[in-house]
């Protein structure tokens, strides 16, 4: 990926821009009439106007966004969160346009994004995952919904099947309020999400909202990045999050993480995603709530405790990279590689490592140290890490070029020669390489 368009605005657009800049990826912002001077527009390398202030006429116009990406030659589109980030049809159209969608496949979004379909899927394939007692059947007949609510027992929670962000939800404590509440939730759901399908769940009076962060790659691996506690909410929307959750014991935490990973593997999930659970405090038991197939608003606290950059991982996964990056080590010896690797003994007159980031030196010498005939002539191990092998090779070249070791014959130039050798660069070498 050399150029990435951000199909979003505000804080999350700025956040994605930071990672792209660090990775050397050119960025494109899209903006509405009233945001031509917004910070995210100023920070981007390019910016394209896509419509009036109304989101329906700008940030939700997938056709305009894809056309903008084509116009500037963007390799990829990052949807951020909200807007089109969990729109399976948009993801499909992006990919069909020959552009990389930074996120899961449209199939994954479609399969798990709808709350009713998600519950049906888990009930069939992962019965060990606890589901909230309730109704998620096909019939949306008013009489059926009333009957099922009474079977579950009040209070119940009515939820838009395609909903999120706290919209399309009502708690109903008594039967007399049920009909009106159902009609309100259906209306709000249709207006906000384009579907009036709802599900009904048992409402727990005292719960915690805890979610597990997942990252899946293209090789069947699904990793967890621990949990976040998102229980401080207003109108069913989070306002304070923390990690780790202060109420989970180790057994419950591990059980929830195991369940989340099973769900991710069932979906063959790629990119960042979050499995949300509720925890019944009285029973110390968890229940699957939903999966968000995107980067979460609250992802920074996970990055703090893990040291990971989740946006970078999303970008790497979308390019077919693994989640671990690539690391290379070179051993700097006091020896002459052009004279049968004959050891060189004597005093190190000056030694100075490179100060570049993600470069590590493991050494037992300093300026003035002696390399004797009695011991192994290792001066230092130089290790580097980068997101990809090519980037790691480049970082090692720079590290070797900026390492200073005077007074002895070393294999420094030989190591640089290897880093530039076409066979080594291709990865097609064997033990007869040298």
């Amino acid at each position: 990926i050399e150029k990435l368009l951000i199909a979003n605005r505000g804080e999350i657009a700025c956040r994605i821009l930071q990672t792209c800049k660090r990775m050397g990826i050119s960025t494109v912002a899209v903006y509405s009439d009233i945001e031509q001077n917004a910070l995210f527009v100023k920070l981007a390398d390019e910016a394209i106007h896509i419509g009036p202030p109304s989101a329906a006429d700008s940030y939700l116009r997938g056709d305009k966004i894809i056309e903008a990406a084509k116009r500037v030659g963007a390799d990829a589109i990052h949807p951020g969160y909200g807007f089109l980030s969990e729109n399976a049809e948009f993801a499909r159209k992006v990919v069909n346009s020959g552009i990389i969608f930074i996120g899961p496949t449209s199939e994954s979004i479609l399969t798990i994004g709808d709350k009713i379909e998600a519950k049906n899927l888990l009930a069939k394939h992962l019965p060990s995952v606890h589901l909230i007692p309730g109704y998620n059947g096909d019939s949306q007949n008013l009489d059926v919904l009333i009957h099922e609510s009474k079977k579950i027992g009040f209070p119940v929670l009515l939820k838009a099947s395609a909903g999120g962000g706290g919209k399309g939800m009502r708690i109903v404590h008594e039967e007399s309020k049920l009909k009106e509440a159902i009609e309100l939730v259906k209306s709000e759901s249709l207006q906000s999400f384009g579907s009036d399908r709802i599900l009904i769940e048992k409402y727990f009076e005292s719960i915690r909202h805890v979610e597990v962060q997942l990252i899946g790659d293209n090789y069947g691996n699904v990793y967890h990045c621990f949990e976040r506690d998102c229980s401080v909410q207003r109108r069913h929307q989070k306002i304070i999050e923390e990690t780790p959750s202060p109420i989970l014991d180790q057994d419950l935490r591990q059980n929830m993480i195991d369940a989340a990973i099973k769900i991710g593997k069932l979906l063959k999930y790629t990119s960042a995603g979050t499995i949300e659970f509720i925890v019944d405090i009285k029973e110390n038991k968890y229940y699957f709530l939903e999966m968000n197939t995107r980067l979460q608003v609250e992802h920074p606290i996970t990055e703090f405790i893990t040291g990971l950059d989740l946006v970078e991982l999303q970008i790497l996964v979308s390019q077919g990279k693994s989640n671990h990056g690539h690391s290379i080590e070179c051993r700097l010896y006091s020896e002459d590689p052009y004279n049968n690797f004959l050891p060189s003994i004597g005093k190190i007159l000056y030694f100075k490592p490179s100060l570049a980031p993600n470069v590590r030196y493991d050494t037992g010498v300093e300026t003035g140290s002696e390399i004797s005939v009695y011991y192994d002539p290792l001066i230092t191990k130089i290790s580097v890490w980068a997101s990809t092998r090519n980037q790691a090779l480049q970082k090692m070249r720079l590290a070797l070029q900026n390492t200073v070791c005077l007074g002895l014959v070393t294999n420094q130039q030989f190591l640089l020669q290897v880093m530039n050798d076409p066979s080594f660069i291709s990865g097609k070498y064997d033990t007869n390489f040298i």
Side-chain angles (χ1 to χ4, degrees):
I1 296 174
E2 295 182 359
K3 182 181 286 191
L4 183 147
L5 183 144
I6 302 165
N8 217 299
R9 59 168 300 281
E11 172 270 325
I12 189 58
C14 292
R15 163 70 189 88
I16 296 166
L17 283 161
Q18 290 172 358
T19 291
C20 288
K21 184 176 182 179
R22 185 172 54 77
M23 295 178 74
I25 297 172
S26 178
T27 54
V28 183
V30 292
Y31 64 93
S32 69
D33 287 349
I34 61 170
E35 296 198 296
Q36 61 185 5
N37 294 315
L39 179 60
F40 72 94
V41 175
K42 294 177 182 177
L43 293 175
D45 297 309
E46 298 177 63
I48 296 180
H49 173 254
I50 54 168
S54 168
D57 296 317
S58 51
Y59 298 108
L60 289 172
R61 286 290 301 272
D63 55 337
K64 287 187 176 182
I65 289 168
I66 292 172
E67 178 56 36
K70 288 179 177 179
R71 195 188 322 161
V72 297
D75 307 299
I77 293 177
H78 196 306
Y81 53 70
F83 294 133
L84 295 168
S85 62
E86 293 181 281
N87 187 307
E89 183 64 11
F90 175 67
R92 185 186 65 79
K93 287 181 177 179
V94 169
V95 173
N96 288 347
S97 297
I99 300 169
I100 296 171
F101 180 75
I102 308 293
T105 64
S106 58
E107 291 80 10
S108 288
I109 298 173
L110 202 58
T111 300
I112 203 72
D114 184 275
K115 294 178 176 62
I116 290 176
E117 297 303 325
K119 287 195 169 191
N120 290 337
L121 178 75
L122 298 185
K124 181 178 180 181
H125 296 285
L126 287 177
S128 61
V129 176
H130 308 306
L131 301 177
I132 301 171
Y135 173 75
N136 48 280
D138 291 331
S139 176
Q140 293 289 299
N141 180 277
L142 181 61
D143 291 335
V144 171
L145 295 176
I146 291 173
H147 174 72
E148 293 295 335
S149 298
K150 290 161 70 174
K151 272 176 58 178
I152 295 165
F154 294 95
V156 296
L157 180 63
L158 308 178
K159 297 172 69 174
S161 183
K167 294 180 180 178
M169 298 175 67
R170 290 287 190 286
I171 303 165
V172 184
H173 290 273
E174 55 190 72
E175 184 180 349
S176 63
K177 303 286 180 65
L178 186 58
K179 182 176 180 295
E180 180 185 3
I182 289 172
E183 290 171 346
L184 282 171
V185 171
K186 277 182 162 290
S187 174
E188 185 174 342
S189 176
L190 185 63
Q191 184 177 357
S192 298
F193 310 110
S195 168
D196 68 351
R197 292 182 77 200
I198 69 168
L199 66 156
I200 308 165
E201 293 177 342
K202 177 67 181 172
Y203 179 72
F204 295 89
E205 296 285 359
S206 180
I207 60 163
R208 294 290 282 256
H209 185 144
V210 180
E211 60 192 26
V212 176
Q213 176 68 60
L214 296 182
I215 291 284
D217 64 22
N218 297 289
Y219 307 100
N221 303 304
V222 177
Y223 307 90
H224 77 87
C225 302
F226 304 100
E227 83 281 359
R228 296 183 288 258
D229 195 315
C230 312
S231 301
V232 180
Q233 304 179 3
R234 57 105 170 92
R235 297 195 295 275
H236 306 293
Q237 195 166 29
K238 309 159 190 172
I239 57 170
I240 296 176
E241 301 92 0
E242 62 177 312
T243 183
S245 171
I247 56 99
L248 297 186
D249 59 41
Q250 192 51 43
D251 287 342
L252 185 57
R253 174 177 286 109
Q254 193 59 54
N255 288 339
M256 292 172 68
I257 287 172
D258 290 345
I261 290 175
K262 286 178 182 177
I263 295 169
K265 289 189 172 181
L266 173 66
L267 294 167
K268 297 182 175 60
Y269 193 80
T270 58
S271 196
T274 302
I275 308 294
E276 302 202 0
F277 299 99
I278 62 168
V279 178
D280 184 344
I281 298 172
K282 293 179 182 177
E283 299 294 329
N284 200 36
K285 185 176 180 179
Y286 74 89
Y287 297 92
F288 171 80
L289 185 62
E290 64 185 21
M291 181 174 190
N292 289 316
T293 56
R294 55 171 169 80
L295 193 67
Q296 291 281 83
V297 177
E298 59 272 19
H299 75 275
I301 60 173
T302 294
E303 293 181 324
F304 255 137
I305 68 162
T306 62
L308 298 171
D309 182 329
L310 296 184
V311 174
E312 180 179 17
L313 289 178
Q314 285 185 297
I315 293 171
L316 293 176
V317 166
S318 73
Q319 297 178 95
K321 310 299 182 184
S322 76
N323 285 326
H324 303 295
H326 200 89
S327 185
I328 299 172
E329 177 187 282
C330 286
R331 302 184 190 189
L332 182 65
Y333 280 108
S334 178
E335 64 184 17
D336 186 353
Y338 307 107
N339 187 18
N340 205 28
F341 296 94
L342 185 71
S344 171
I345 61 173
K347 182 181 287 188
I348 298 174
L349 299 180
Y350 184 67
F351 179 69
K352 182 182 179 184
S354 166
L355 300 177
N358 294 319
V359 178
R360 167 176 163 174
Y361 287 78
D362 290 79
T363 186
V365 306
E366 60 184 351
T367 297
S369 292
E370 292 273 352
I371 302 295
S372 80
V373 70
Y374 296 103
Y375 307 113
D376 185 81
L378 178 69
I379 296 172
T380 185
K381 295 180 294 184
I382 306 173
S383 302
V384 302
W385 179 92
S387 299
T388 67
R389 186 171 187 267
N390 284 340
Q391 290 172 345
L393 285 167
Q394 180 62 18
K395 188 171 284 290
M396 180 58 81
R397 293 183 195 111
L398 292 171
L400 287 167
Q401 289 165 357
N402 288 284
T403 299
V404 181
C405 186
L406 304 179
L408 298 167
V409 176
T410 74
N411 66 339
Q412 188 169 355
Q413 288 304 312
F414 173 77
L415 295 173
L416 261 173
Q417 187 179 339
V418 172
M419 292 298 108
N420 288 301
D421 186 275
S423 295
F424 188 81
I425 291 171
S426 71
K428 297 176 181 178
Y429 58 89
D430 59 22
T431 54
N432 297 309
F433 173 75
I434 291 177

